[in-house]
Structures are given as C-alpha cells and as structure tokens.
Amino acid sequence: MKSKDIIRKVLCLLLVVQMMALTSCSAQPDTSVQTSATQSSSETQTISYRDYNGTLKKSETVYVTLDANGSPTKTLVSDWLHADEANVRVEDQSDLTDIQNVKGDSSPKQDGQRLTWDMPGTDLYYQGLSDKQLPVSIQISYYLDGQSIQPQDLAGKSGKVKMEISLKNNQSHAVDIDGQSVTMYTPVMAVGGMVLPEETFQNIQVENGALLSDGAKQAAVFVSLPGLDESLGLSDLDIPDMEPFSFPETITVTADCTDFELGNMMMAMTTQIPQLDTLKVSQSLGDVKQNLSDLQDIQNSVTEMDPDEVLRSLLTDPEKTAGLQTLTDDLDTFHQLDTSLLDLLPQYISTQNINLVERLKKDVSASQLDQLLDSPFLNSLGGQLNNQSIQNAKRLLDDVAALQNIDIDQLDSILGSLGSADQLTALLQSSGHLADEIAAHPSALPTLQRLLGYSDDVQALANQLHDLTSSLADQGITLGEDEIHTMVSALVNQKAMEKLSAATGIESSKLEAILAVSPADMMGDDGIVPPSYRENVTLCIGLAASSDSQVAALQQVLTQQVQSGTVSAAFVPVVKQILSTVQDNLNTQLSQAGQMTDQVTAQILSLMQGAKSLEANIEDIGIQNIEDSIQFVETIMPSLSDLTSLLEQNKDQLSSLQKVLGDPQTMRYLQDTSSKLLTMKQDLDANAGNLQFVSSLLEHSNDPSLQAFVKMLPTLQKDLKDASPILRSLSQGMDNAQTRASLENSPETIATLLKMKVDLESNRQITDALTSIASPDTIDAASDAFSKLNDMMEENTVGQYLDTADTADLLLKKVNAYADLGQDNSIFTIAPEGAQTDVKFILKTAEIKKPEAVESAQSEQKDSSGIGAWFQNLFQKNK
C-alpha cells in the first residue's frame, strides 16, 4: 500500500510542477503593446492585406477568477492567432464580449460571431469576456471542528480545519464503442495547489494529493482527471493494481490551524491528453485472444463430440475401461462363431408378412369383437326377425307415408294465423272504438270535407315559398347569420378603408398590409427589419410624424435606418412604440365599422326570421307531400263514410269474434297441437332416406340366403367367442409400441445384422486396433490427458483469460476514444472550421484574510504568497 502512495505522489508532483510553472508564467494575460504594431497611420494605410488560405492556429488561455467557494466570478479569455504569412486577412470566430486587441491597435470587423482580422505580422493577440460554463465545476467546502462553515466566517478562527475540493466534469458525450453507446466526458487534466504557512497550519494531511515543504511553507498539491473513471469505466473493470493510477475527483486537506488565513488556490487545466500508442499492444492482444479462442474451440469440439463424457469415461472410468476390454474380447470371439443361421432369417421375416399381421390386428380392434360377441342385441336378433314383426313394421311405414303427405304450406299458414290472434283481437277492439268515436261526433267528417275546399289557396302559397327557396339554392345563396354578417361587413369595411385611405393618403392595400403584421414581426428586438416589411415601417413612421412633432424630428434618421435594414439599439423602443401606436389608431377608426355591421345585420335577420320559419315548415313537410295528402283525404272521404256505416252494422259480430280470439286456453291448445304436427312432418322429411332403407330391408326379408345367415348367427357367435382369447392376446402384444416398432423394423434389423457380420469380417484390422487401444498403457496416458482437460474446463481457465483479454481490449478502445475527445474539444469558445486549436485554463481563488489583515494585504505584492510564486522560490533555492 505504501508503494502505491509513493507512485501517486510522484505522478502528482511531476504534473503539478509542470502545470504550475506554466501558471506562474501565465498568471495574467500580457496586455503590453508591441512596438512594431505602433506604426504611423500613413505606414498602416500602405499595407495591402490578402485573404489567408493557410491553416490558422488558435491557442486559447482561459483565466478564471473564483470566489473562495470555487464559483467563477470572472472569466477572461486570451486568444493567440498564428498564421504562417504576414499581411493577411484572417477569418476567425468568437463568442466573447468586449473583444480587445492587446498587442496592436487594429480592430476586427465583426458580423455576429464572425471576426475578420487584418494581421500585419504572423501573430495576433486579443482577449474578451465569457459567461460560458467551464468544462469542470469546482466546489470548495470548509469545516471547522467537524462543522460546515463559510470561508469568510473561517478567517481568523483556530481549530481542526478541513477543506474539500470537488471537481465535476460537465461535458458528457455519447461515444460508439463496438456498436454500443458509451457516455464519456471531455478529457480534462487539472492540477492545483495551495500554500499552507507553517506558522498557521500544522499536522497537515492531504488525501488524494501530496504535501511539499521548503522548510518555511508547505504546499498541498493535487492532480485530477474528473470524468476519467466514468469515461473508462475503471471502477467496473476487474484489473488488479489499478488504484495507484486513479485520479480522484475530491481532494481533502486537514490541518490544525491557528488564526486561519489562506492565500490564492491556483489550478491549471488542459484538454490535451497525450495520445497513447496502443496499436502494437492491440495487435499483440489480438494474437493472444485468437490463440485462447482456438484453445477454447478445441475444448468445445471435445465437448460437442462427447457431451455426456462417454468416450472419456471409456479411458478414465475403470469400470467402463474393463467393459471396453470385454467388448474387444467379444469381437475376437465373434470372428470364431458360425453365423450361417443369419442368412435364413430374411426368408421368413418379410415386409409382406409383417403388414399382414398389422392389418389383422387393426381389423380385430376396429370391429370391437369382444363387445359384439357379448351384445344382448346380437343374441336376440334371431328371435326378433319373425313374420309378425315384419308385418307390423310394414304397417308402421304406411302410417309414416300418410304423415308425409300433409300439406306443410297450409299447416304453416294456419300456425301463422293463430300466432297473430292477439293482433286480430287488438284490431277488433280498435275498430269498435273507432265506430264509437265517429258516432259520438257526427259533424266532424262533414266539417273536414268543407275545409278541403280551401286547399287550392294553401297549395298556391306553398308553391310560392318553394319557388323562392329553389331560386336561392340555384344561385348558391345560403342566407345564414354568418353570411349576412360577412356581406354587410365586407361592404362597410370597404367603405371605411376607403375613407381611412383618403384621410391618410395611403393606399388601402398598404394599410391592410400594416394591420396584417405584428410589430414584433416587422422589427425584431435586435433592430433587424426584414426587406418585405421596410415599406410598412416607413409608412408607420410617416403617419406618426404627421401628428407627433417629436417623431417628425426623428423621421429622417429613423427612415434611413429602417431602409438600411437595421435600427440602432437606442431607437428600437421608439420604433416599436410607433408601430404599436399607429396600429392601435388605425384599428380604433376601423372598429366603428364593426358596430355599424352588427346593427345592419340584426335588422336584416329580423326581417328574414318570419319568412325563414314558414319556409322551414313547408320544406320539412314537402310541397308535393302536401298536395298528395290533400288529394288523398279528398279521395278517401266517401270510403271513410261507408266504413263508418259497416262498423256500425256489424258491431255485434265483431264483439263475438273478439271473445273467441281472446280466450288464451283455446288459442294455446290450437297453437301447441299445430306446432307438434309441423315438427313431426319436418322430422319425417329429414329421415326420408332412412325410412327408404328400412322399407327396402323389409322387402328382402324373405331372401333364403338372408334367412340362412340369421339361423347361423348363434353358431358364428360361439366360434368367434372361442377364438377371442387368441385374437385378444395378439392385439395386446401389437399395442406395445416397442414390440410394434421392433416388428416393423425387423427386416431392416436382419439386413443390418448381416451387414455388420460382413463389416466385422472385412475390417478385422480395425477391431484389432481397438483391442490395442484398450491396453493398460494407452488407457493410463489418455486418462491423465483428459483429467487435465477436465480441470481446465471446470475452472473455466481459458474463458477467464479470454474475459480478461476482452476487458483489456475494451479499455484500449475507450482510452483511444477518450484521447480523441480531447482533440475534438480543444477550444473553450469557438473557432473557424479547419483551424488548429488548443486550450488551457488558469484558475485562481480569492484569498481568505482576517478582517484586520485585509488592508495590509492589499499593499503587498499580488502573488507573494501564491502557489506560483512559492514554486518559483522553491526551485531557486535548489539551484
């Protein structure tokens, strides 16, 4: 463990010394002006600049001032542009603000984020401010005697002090590694430190860093690569001894403190991670993986060839080894036997004979012989087939034929009538009520007939309404409230717009264009006026100037800026107010037209309401329906009078029929009986074929052959019953799947045995070789080899080595991708396409001083107690 701490401290020291030396030299950007740049204006005017087509190099240094908690308070960026030629015009890009040329008097031409520099020399330096988020966030926490405390409250205090510096990488990327998306962070190497005077800090402990001392002051220094562990997945890798090469993201400094004060903490960061040469390592690793894969394939082949370890057990299991030796002895014995009997078997065990046995078994099973022989019906069949029984069956068939002659249509009609008895009863009741009502109102029918005399006038009015509706529909006119309002609005708005155009002197179409676009669309907050809206804005300024003297005074300036397409920031609010006011005034004058439109529309709708209601009623009924209905009523009036007389004359008969049909018991009996007859007729029709078969069978009952067979049925039954045990035994044997399969395959089995006999005789040398393999010496050697192979497979030795190789291969790919991210993110701001860039960050925290020491500290040299100055003094003493 001690050696691991030493390795970490040595790495930390080397990196800190290198980065802090850079920090000491670049603690603040150089803002001095080169003498060569201060040429006279006459000399500058003689320089002719040409476009630069070479590769531009942009080196960026970001100076960040942090408060004592690590939060940025100011970010100053210094950019160094380098071209391979002088007197060139360079295209650059930057998102900085307050850009200044710090070593020359030339200024860039700026178009948004695009900068154009004229470079009399090959180098140009400029700086500016940025509010972008840093690639790494820093948080510094302070504790006094185990309690959290703010840095300003810690000043001047004494006790056990702990400072935690946490770094968090903010720039994540989705990187493809072997087809999988892996989250990786921009490589950032951060080194830093703080000076801890011995008179203030004692018993200093630095976790995840190193403590250096020159005898008077001590320095806590650290190195961190925030995001490295997540990017490479180091915590998930099962690789021994990785801890010394880890770079934690939290550094803790503890000490016993008296009158706490702390100078500036200094940190430097860079995204330039050295590119590692992993090609040879990857190639060697690939060879190792291939060899291990080949070895695993051999193991797999052995397993696939002998998955149950039967072959291996023949050489490793003593019992099976003895069995192998016995088999080889049996092979030797077989060669000495007389096998001529095998040649006779194919003559008796043939496929034809086997098929015959199989067919017999199936027939016996299908006939259900046992059940048939024991059937009471079969035993009594001979006594049932006598002359009397045959004659009775013939008479029964005659009765069936009579039932089949029933007229099913007539029967169905009767059932249908009986099914509607309730409706007939209701009809009779309604007829009686109708006769009573007509008798009670004798003058109703004459009055109705008289009213029909005015039908021509009603019909004429209906025709006029129908013609009016059809005429409007033919013209495509639908006079609803929206349509009337639209027509009136169009007329009134047209007149109002013409009046407004005459008053302002501006064409109606241009006034409509002004009102159709919002002020925000005509001019943005940045003062940009699109070309299509410049005339609109100019007209609005003119209208405002005609009634406002202040706008009139600015009219010419505003108009010129609008026509140029950009309004200066100072006049943007003025122009926006003019646009809004002009639109409000125009809309106010036009709003009066809307009120007039509503009034006229309401009057027209009131006039049309009555006509619309009448037209709707007529249209709902239909003119033709009205005419047909009037004609129909006139036609049926005589018949209605006759019907009234008939109902009155037959009132008693209707009442009697109603009582008959209203008796539920009588109607239910008729319905049930009729339904049963209908069902019987349908069943007989459905069994016509069966009845025909029975009739044919009875006709042949006198056949001598059939009579002789009936007489022999008892004898045949006894013979079959005596043979049933044999048939049953055969059937049960054939039901056994193994027996049946063996019987079916017996011809092939005999043929195979004969072929085996020939093969054994013709391959005597191979059987002799098997005998040799079964010798004790060969078995001992094979047993030892398989034992070692089994140990490797059980411990998965090859698989473990392959997993380790895969892990190492994946780590190499992540390392390469991680380094590439540093190359792809080598700028903090932005740069033109194709430029070579690099970036470094210099960060400095605010000092923490006791209140009485603040005034005196301001008079001291700025970096006299800083970590950078301390490093310089440390190395000067060692010279």
Side-chain angles (χ1 to χ4, degrees), residues 652-670:
D652 295 337
Q653 288 83 351
L654 291 174
S655 176
S656 177
L657 180 59
Q658 179 180 348
K659 291 179 181 179
V660 173
L661 294 176
D663 184 1
Q665 185 174 0
T666 301
M667 296 306 298
R668 190 179 306 109
Y669 173 77
L670 292 174

Side-chain angles (χ1 to χ4, degrees), residues 164-167 207-209 224 247-252:
E164 287 185 354
I165 305 170
S166 299
L167 295 90
E207 183 180 351
N208 300 326
S224 178
F247 294 90
E249 299 178 8
T250 299
I251 299 90
T252 303

